[in-house]
């Protein structure tokens, strides 16, 4: 085997094994068909464009959508659905934040002595709702772009306290990555009607987040949904919430730094750990 | 339908082709504008097969390398016809607008 072929085969290892077993020989044949020069076969490398395209294919196959491919193992389909659910949960978290901001704006409007918000801040605060609506409308590129714009202030808040910043930002960063990776070209658009209700619920919970710390509201909602997912045997939602519970441990722990008593923080922390490790029921994948 | 999908369907409409032949055909059909990457090609083929627009035809071994051929299904032919009709209607509409402004629909290339 020549070096170039070895390098292409190494590149193809980013693809899942089930896909490689079916396609590797065929793909290597195409890669090498246009590269017959002896020097190239010995010293050549896969181009950046080819590498990028294979990486894109790897994301789509590892996080497979049931309708987008044939012969997909059940595990790959589940993985894809869980990542997409985690991406949607991230957007719902953003919508909840919009509720908190709206409640704050209403309060400030009734108290003229308080300093008003800058127009840019108001727009940025509302962006998660736009991203969520865009995803429901099937405009996934727009949804990702707006979600990124909404995440920029958090990213720019990077400072000397890296640990605290990471703990606070991790849920937003990971769920944004899940949104980008999970909603690839072949992924289905989530059911708009059902998710609109979820978005409305998150907005209402956000309004409640003005009264009690939003982190507590998030934990309470997470625990309730986790129980519902278990009872209904919803593996995808259950697993996505487990992952999200792990991510939320950071923001809850940071409440300690905010002066909240340790025993008040202990309760949501324990609930998050239980949500993370609690079993999920795995029915047959429809 | 993306331009990539449209060109792959067009390439397969003539005869069953293997992967490398599809890449070459797409480059010719697009007059060199579109160089289909292998990862992209398989993304398109996977989608076409999953949607029932194309299917695997036969396999051959050429110079020790596997060549798998793909062909268009009847649904694929109908999808291509529908897309051609849609694009043709767009072209006619755009041409009429340009003629109304006294312009030639097809500008000569520099």
């Amino acid at each position: 085997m020549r070096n170039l072929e070895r390098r292409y085969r190494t590149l193809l290892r980013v693809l899942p094994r089930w896909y490689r077993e079916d396609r590797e020989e065929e793909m290597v044949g195409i890669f090498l068909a246009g590269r017959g020069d002896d020097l190239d076969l010995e010293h050549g490398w896969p181009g950046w464009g080819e590498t990028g395209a294979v990486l894109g294919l790897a994301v789509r196959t590892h996080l497979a959508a049931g309708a987008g491919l044939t012969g997909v193992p059940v595990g790959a389909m589940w993985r894809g659905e869980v990542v997409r659910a985690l991406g949607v949960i991230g957007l719902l978290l953003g919508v909840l934040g919009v509720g908190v901001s709206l409640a704050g704006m209403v309060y400030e409007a009734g108290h003229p002595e308080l300093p008003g918000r800058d127009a840019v801040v108001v727009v940025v605060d509302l962006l998660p709702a736009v991203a969520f609506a865009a995803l429901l409308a099937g405009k996934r590129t727009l949804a990702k772009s707006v979600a990124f714009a909404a995440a920029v202030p958090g990213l720019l808040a990077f400072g000397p306290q890296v640990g605290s910043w990471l703990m606070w930002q991790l849920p937003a960063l990971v769920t944004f990555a899940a949104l980008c990776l999970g909603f690839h070209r072949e992924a289905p658009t989530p059911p708009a009607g059902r998710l609109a209700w979820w978005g409305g619920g998150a907005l209402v919970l956000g309004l409640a987040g003005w009264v009690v710390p939003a982190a507590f509201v998030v934990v309470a909602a997470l625990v309730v949904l986790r129980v519902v997912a278990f009872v209904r045997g919803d593996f995808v939602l259950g697993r996505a919430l487990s992952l999200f519970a792990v991510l939320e441990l950071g923001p809850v722990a940071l409440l300690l730094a905010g002066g909240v008593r340790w025993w008040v923080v202990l309760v949501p922390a324990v609930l998050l750990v239980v949500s993370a490790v609690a079993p999920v029921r795995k029915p047959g994948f429809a | 339908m993306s331009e990539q999908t449209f060109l792959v369907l067009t390439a397969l409409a003539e005869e069953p082709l293997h992967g490398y032949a599809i890449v070459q055909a797409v480059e010719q059909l697009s007059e060199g504008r579109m160089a289909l990457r292998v990862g992209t090609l398989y993304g398109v083929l996977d989608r076409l097969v999953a949607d029932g627009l194309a299917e695997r035809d036969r396999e051959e071994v050429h110079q020790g390398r596997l060549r798998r051929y793909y062909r268009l299904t009847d649904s694929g032919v109908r999808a291509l016809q529908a897309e051609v009709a849609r694009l043709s209607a767009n072209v006619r509409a755009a041409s009429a607008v340009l003629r109304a402004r006294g312009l030639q629909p097809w500008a000569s290339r520099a």
Side-chain angles (χ1 to χ4, degrees), chain B residues 30-43:
Chain B
S30 66
E31 298 177 337
R33 275 185 305 108
M34 186 171 291
L36 210 51
R37 311 282 186 197
V38 177
T40 311
L41 167 69
Y42 279 90

Side-chain angles (χ1 to χ4, degrees), chain A residues 22-280:
Chain A
D22 186 39
R23 289 278 170 78
E24 181 170 343
E25 295 307 319
E26 187 184 349
M27 293 176 83
V28 168
I30 304 175
F31 280 134
L32 296 176
R35 302 184 68 167
D37 178 66
D38 208 46
L39 200 64
D40 190 29
L41 288 173
E42 205 54 39
H43 301 288
W45 284 81
W48 288 109
E50 287 291 8
T51 303
V54 171
L55 290 176
L57 184 64
V59 170
R60 295 197 294 276
T61 47
H62 276 292
L63 304 177
L69 290 165
T70 51
V72 183
V74 171
M77 272 202 269
W78 261 326
R79 195 164 42 238
E81 296 302 329
V82 168
V83 168
R84 281 184 280 282
L86 192 61
V88 171
I89 288 172
L91 287 181
L92 287 170
L93 183 68
V95 173
L96 189 144
V98 170
V100 175
S101 293
L102 286 175
M105 288 178 210
V106 170
Y107 181 81
E108 286 160 12
H111 295 77
E113 70 278 12
L114 294 173
R117 297 182 190 212
D118 195 73
V120 176
V121 175
V122 172
V123 170
V124 171
D125 281 355
L126 298 179
L127 284 180
V130 178
F132 184 70
L135 184 70
L136 265 55
K139 312 278 186 193
R140 58 192 64 186
T141 304
L142 177 66
K144 292 173 190 175
S145 306
V146 176
F148 175 75
V152 165
L155 295 174
L156 293 179
F158 184 83
Q161 294 180 314
V162 178
S164 300
W165 175 84
L166 196 60
M167 285 167 73
W168 184 253
Q169 292 296 328
L170 204 57
L173 293 176
V174 173
T175 55
F176 175 67
L179 179 76
C180 291
L181 295 174
F183 286 97
H184 50 76
R185 205 165 39 195
E186 280 80 33
T189 299
R194 187 158 63 104
L195 274 185
W197 283 102
W198 285 66
L203 197 66
V204 171
L205 284 175
L207 297 175
W210 178 249
V211 184
V212 290
F216 291 156
V217 176
V218 171
V219 172
L222 189 154
V223 170
V224 170
L225 289 174
R226 185 71 175 78
V227 172
V228 170
F230 179 80
V231 171
R232 293 178 58 181
D234 190 335
F235 172 81
V236 170
L237 180 61
R239 184 59 84 209
L241 287 170
S242 292
L243 293 171
F244 186 62
V246 174
L247 298 173
E248 274 299 302
L249 278 169
V252 167
L254 283 177
L255 290 174
L256 286 171
V260 180
R261 292 177 188 277
W262 70 268
W263 50 269
V264 178
V265 176
L266 186 65
V267 175
V270 168
L271 286 172
L272 286 175
V273 171
V274 172
S275 297
V277 301
V280 283

Side-chain angles (χ1 to χ4, degrees), chain B residues 7-42:
Chain B
L7 289 173
V8 170
L9 279 177
T10 307
L12 292 176
E14 196 172 346
E15 59 176 339
L17 295 174
H18 56 81
Y20 186 58
I22 297 173
V23 173
Q24 289 178 310
V26 165
E27 193 167 352
Q28 282 177 1
L29 287 166
S30 66
E31 298 177 337
R33 275 185 305 108
M34 186 171 291
L36 210 51
R37 311 282 186 197
V38 177
T40 311
L41 167 69
Y42 279 90

